[in-house]
Amino acid sequence: MSHRYAVAGIGNAIVDVLSPVEDHFLDHMDIEKGIMQLIERERAELLYAAMKERTEAPGGSVANTLAGIGRLGLPTAFMGRVRDDALGRGYAAAMSAGGTDFANAPAPADIPTSRCMIFVSPDGERSMNTYLGVSAEVGPEHVPEDVAGDCAYLFLEGYLFDKDPGKAAFLKAAELCHAGGGKAGIALSDPFCVNRHRGDFQKLIAGQMDYVIGNSHEWCALYETEDLDAALARAASVCETVICTRSGDPVWLIRGDARIEVPVATVVPVDATGAGDQFAAGLLYGLAAGHDLETAGRMGVLAAAEVIGHMGARPQADVAALFRAGGLV
């Protein structure tokens, strides 16, 4: 069955603001290293003012993934919210210019377009401070039937599971996707998010998801265990395809009784922002283009390695050329 979009996604539409800093800056500003923290508008303004160097770019986890897939030549669409302000209009225009259809036009809202202050340490670790703004207010009314119902793969951002309208949007999108003959999946996004909504995540994965991407910490949090194998076995018993990234160790891709290991090359990170997002981009590109699961996993690893080699969460090199050089296409 042919689809209008190879991959469509729902996620936070966030303007990323990146700045290189030393670790002592994080201590001084009371920023916890290496995690995503939600902040209020006043805190966002304070941190923005403290940045000596800034690089701004459209971001958001699923949006980054879709941008990566779009650069590889497959049709993509993004469902998310921005305010009709300068940041929002710029965000929508940048997504469209990058080849991803922006399904929801900038609209009036009481709160601003979202932004994330990302402080990048010398070791490449990123400390994210996110003001969610209007992007967190996604609901079922922001899920167009002609997008969610006409995609081969639907990709959902776990962060939006924090609010009931977001959960309802996910269910509507998954139902539309399945009705149109597509496969629906989700990124677990963050162990803290998983801990807040463990039961609902488990129910969604068992009932609606065809594939799930998470790292070892997220999978263990989901099933309240330190035994990663046990957590993945539980997931694989209810979900068709389970993917686990493991911080430099081989990626595990599980489908039925098969477990595939994809090695990860050692790369000195310049900026780890977007590594997981571009892994998902390579993986979903591979699956949507008709490749087998192992090849898709290898594409994900190559795409992730490219993005951590430079500042920013979206690819700069010709990732398709990297796939060709790696013998994947």
Side-chain angles (χ1 to χ4, degrees):
M1 180 184 293
S2 61
H3 293 87
R4 178 183 178 190
Y5 298 108
V7 185
I10 303 176
N12 282 302
I14 299 175
V15 178
D16 287 339
V17 187
L18 296 99
S19 180
V21 298
E22 299 295 328
D23 283 345
H24 63 77
F25 174 89
L26 303 179
D27 293 335
H28 177 68
M29 298 300 293
D30 197 25
I31 297 169
E32 188 168 352
K33 182 176 179 178
I35 69 165
M36 192 282 288
Q37 301 177 85
L38 297 178
I39 58 175
E40 298 300 324
R41 185 173 180 175
E42 292 76 15
R43 172 73 168 165
E45 292 172 350
L46 172 68
L47 294 180
Y48 185 87
M51 290 175 154
K52 292 184 178 180
E53 300 177 43
R54 302 187 190 99
T55 302
E56 296 186 5
S61 181
V62 162
N64 289 337
T65 295
L66 293 170
I69 297 168
R71 279 178 61 100
L72 287 164
L74 293 183
T76 56
F78 177 69
M79 293 168 275
R81 290 194 69 190
V82 294
R83 183 181 176 180
D84 187 9
D85 55 19
L87 279 179
R89 291 188 294 272
Y91 186 100
M95 289 295 289
S96 298
T100 295
D101 286 354
F102 198 87
N104 305 100
D110 294 332
I111 48 180
T113 294
S114 310
R115 70 288 312 268
C116 179
M117 317 301 149
I118 303 173
F119 296 93
V120 185
S121 304
D123 60 2
E125 190 63 75
R126 80 275 195 206
S127 306
M128 298 181 291
N129 298 264
T130 303
Y131 168 59
L132 288 176
V134 74
S135 73
E137 305 301 317
V138 170
E141 66 274 22
H142 304 114
V143 180
E145 184 172 347
D146 61 349
V147 176
D150 203 1
C151 60
Y153 285 85
L154 173 71
F155 191 40
L156 307 174
E157 184 175 316
Y159 287 128
L160 279 176
F161 220 54
D162 262 327
K163 294 189 176 181
D164 288 340
K167 295 176 184 178
F170 282 8
L171 290 174
K172 177 183 176 181
E175 290 168 358
L176 287 169
C177 175
H178 288 144
K183 290 185 178 294
I186 192 170
L188 294 178
S189 294
D190 183 272
F192 296 103
C193 185
V194 169
N195 284 330
R196 287 193 294 270
H197 305 282
R198 182 176 293 108
D200 286 338
F201 266 117
Q202 290 180 2
K203 184 178 178 180
L204 181 74
I205 290 167
Q208 297 287 345
M209 297 296 97
D210 302 295
Y211 66 94
V212 182
I213 302 172
N215 63 35
S216 55
H217 302 294
E218 291 157 0
W219 282 116
C220 288
L222 181 64
Y223 294 108
E224 294 184 279
T225 178
E226 296 182 2
D227 186 337
L228 179 59
D229 284 314
L232 296 176
R234 284 190 62 181
S237 71
V238 296
C239 184
E240 177 184 317
T241 303
V242 171
I243 300 103
C244 179
T245 59
R246 300 189 299 138
S247 300
D249 290 326
V251 175
W252 287 342
L253 304 104
I254 303 169
R255 181 176 287 168
D257 295 330
R259 175 182 288 192
I260 299 164
E261 284 200 2
V262 174
V264 176
T266 301
V267 177
V268 178
V270 174
D271 171 19
T273 307
D277 304 339
Q278 294 312 315
F279 170 80
L283 177 83
L284 289 173
Y285 168 82
L287 294 175
H291 296 284
D292 61 74
L293 185 59
E294 180 174 357
T295 299
R298 291 181 181 277
M299 288 176 167
V301 167
L302 277 177
E306 187 280 334
V307 82
I308 67 174
H310 57 76
M311 289 288 286
R314 299 187 178 187
Q316 294 179 357
D318 184 345
V319 178
L322 298 178
F323 293 168
R324 290 192 293 272
L328 300 177
V329 293

